[in-house]
């Protein structure tokens, strides 16, 4: 009796255990299927990202080619500008030499003008002195003429009085009055005029031009000091937040090496850091952290921290 009851119970327990095992296996299979679906979905996303990255690489190659063409054109323009600068430098040298000659000639002319001005002042002083002497002589001549006029008048009066006395004496002695034509009656001659003294002086100034020479200070062209090493500075030109990498517009031509570390700044505010993983002549691809990638924008400034290592 006990055997008959125990056998169905064991079978029931066995069936329940098998059912539980089957249910667990189903759950595992479902989870695995779900994980497989998620993995396939992630793989599809990665493939899409890879395709997008390849498109970006193709675009970067096109941009690189365009940049190389622009660089060649810029080099041609730079060569032309250097030739023009050389021509301008030669013209500047010629102009500086002409300017130095003009300054020297101007200095000589100024010295000559100063000498002439000094001689002119001296001549003006001499002329003023001569004019003063002439004026004094004219005053003296005028005073002499006045004195001569007074003497002539006094002489006439004395001569008339003498003639009268002689006539009165002759009348009293001889008893007759002499006629005006009597030779004994004499009248003194009167001077008509007195020649004016003429004072003439000719002044011939002799000007001696003294030429002076002015030594100009030498034109010293100072060479710039030797160029010092400076950190590489660039800009972010592309951001891929989903893949956590950025592209910088500096490459091997600018001294960037794989392993270099850039500080990312927006204005004066630090945004994060980026490590260089791949270098091209004019571009560099850098890895950034997930938190930093969402904060980096195109146009942000990147500065080499100075901890760059050589490429492996």
């Amino acid at each position: 009796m006990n055997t008959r009851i125990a056998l169905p119970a064991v079978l029931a327990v066995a069936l329940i255990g098998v059912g539980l095992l089957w249910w667990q296996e189903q759950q595992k299979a479902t989870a695995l299927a779900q994980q497989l679906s998620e993995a396939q979905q992630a793989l599809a996303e990665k493939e899409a990202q890879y395709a997008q990255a390849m498109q970006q690489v193709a675009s970067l190659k096109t941009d690189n080619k365009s940049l190389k063409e622009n660089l060649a054109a810029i080099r041609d323009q730079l060569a032309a500008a250097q030739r023009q600068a050389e021509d301008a430098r030669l013209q500047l040298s010629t102009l500086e030499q002409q300017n130095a000659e003009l300054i020297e000639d101007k200095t000589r002319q100024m010295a000559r003008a100063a000498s002439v001005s000094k001689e002119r002042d001296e001549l003006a002083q001499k002329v003023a002195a001569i004019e003063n002497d002439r004026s004094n002589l004219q005053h003296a001549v005028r005073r002499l003429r006045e004195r001569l006029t007074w003497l002539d008048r006094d002489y006439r009066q004395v001569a008339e009085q003498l003639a009268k006395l002689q006539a009165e004496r002759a009348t009293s002695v001889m008893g007759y009055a002499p006629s005006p034509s009597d030779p004994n009656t004499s009248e003194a001659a009167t001077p008509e005029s007195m020649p004016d003294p003429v004072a003439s002086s000719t002044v011939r100034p002799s000007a001696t031009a003294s030429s002076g020479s002015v030594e100009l200070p030498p034109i010293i062209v100072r060479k710039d000091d030797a160029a010092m090493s400076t950190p590489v500075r660039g800009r972010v030109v592309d951001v891929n937040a989903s893949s956590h990498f950025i592209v910088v517009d500096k490459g091997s031509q600018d001294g960037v090496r794989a392993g270099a570390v850039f500080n990312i700044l927006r204005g004066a505010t630090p945004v994060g850091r980026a490590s260089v993983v791949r270098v091209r002549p004019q571009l560099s691809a850098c890895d950034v952290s997930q938190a930093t990638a969402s904060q980096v924008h195109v146009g942000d400034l990147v500065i080499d921290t100075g901890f760059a290592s050589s490429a492996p």
Side-chain angles (χ1 to χ4, degrees), residues 6 16 111 125 133 164 182 194 204 211 224 233 294 297-298 308-309:
I16 292 172
Q125 292 177 359
D133 294 340
K164 287 180 181 180
D182 191 351
M194 185 175 182
R204 294 182 180 180
S211 62
D224 296 337
R233 296 172 178 266
S294 60
H297 296 163
V298 174
S309 62

Side-chain angles (χ1 to χ4, degrees), residues 14-58:
L15 290 173
I16 292 172
V18 171
L20 289 174
L21 290 174
W22 179 81
W23 182 79
Q24 290 178 356
E25 291 298 329
Q26 289 294 327
Q27 292 293 328
K28 289 180 180 181
T30 304
L32 290 174
Q34 186 176 358
Q35 291 178 359
L36 180 61
S37 177
E38 292 176 355
Q40 290 177 350
Q41 185 177 359
L43 180 61
E45 292 178 357
K46 293 296 181 181
E47 289 178 351
Q49 292 177 1
Y50 177 76
Q52 185 178 1
M54 292 302 294
Q55 292 178 356
Q56 292 178 354
V57 169

Side-chain angles (χ1 to χ4, degrees), residues 60-101:
L60 289 176
K61 288 181 179 179
T62 304
D63 294 341
N64 188 18
K65 182 179 179 181
S66 177
L67 289 174
K68 286 183 179 179
E69 293 176 354
N70 292 334
L71 180 60
I74 291 173
R75 286 178 178 172
D76 294 338
Q77 294 176 0
L78 180 60
Q82 288 178 348
R83 290 192 297 270
Q84 293 177 358
E86 186 66 23
D87 295 339
R89 191 177 296 109
L90 293 175
Q91 293 177 0
L92 179 61
S93 178
T94 304
L95 290 176
E96 286 179 349
Q97 184 177 1
Q98 293 177 355
N99 187 27
E101 294 176 355

Side-chain angles (χ1 to χ4, degrees), residues 19 37-38 63 69 71 80 86 105 132 148 159 187 243-245 252 273 289:
S37 177
E38 292 176 355
D63 294 341
E69 293 176 354
L71 180 60
E86 186 66 23
D105 184 64
N132 190 16
L148 183 61
E187 183 176 0
S243 298
H244 315 309
F245 78 92
S252 58
R273 286 193 172 191
S289 64

Side-chain angles (χ1 to χ4, degrees), residues 53 56 60 238-247 277 285-288 293:
Q56 292 178 354
L60 289 176
D238 192 13
V239 178
N240 192 328
S242 60
S243 298
H244 315 309
F245 78 92
I246 61 175
V247 179
V277 294
C286 308
D287 280 340
V288 293

Side-chain angles (χ1 to χ4, degrees), residues 124-145:
Q125 292 177 359
K126 291 180 179 179
V127 170
I130 292 172
E131 290 292 336
N132 190 16
D133 294 340
R134 181 180 178 184
S135 178
N136 293 332
L137 288 174
Q138 287 178 352
H139 287 300
V141 169
R142 192 179 299 112
R143 286 195 299 269
L144 289 174
R145 283 180 178 178

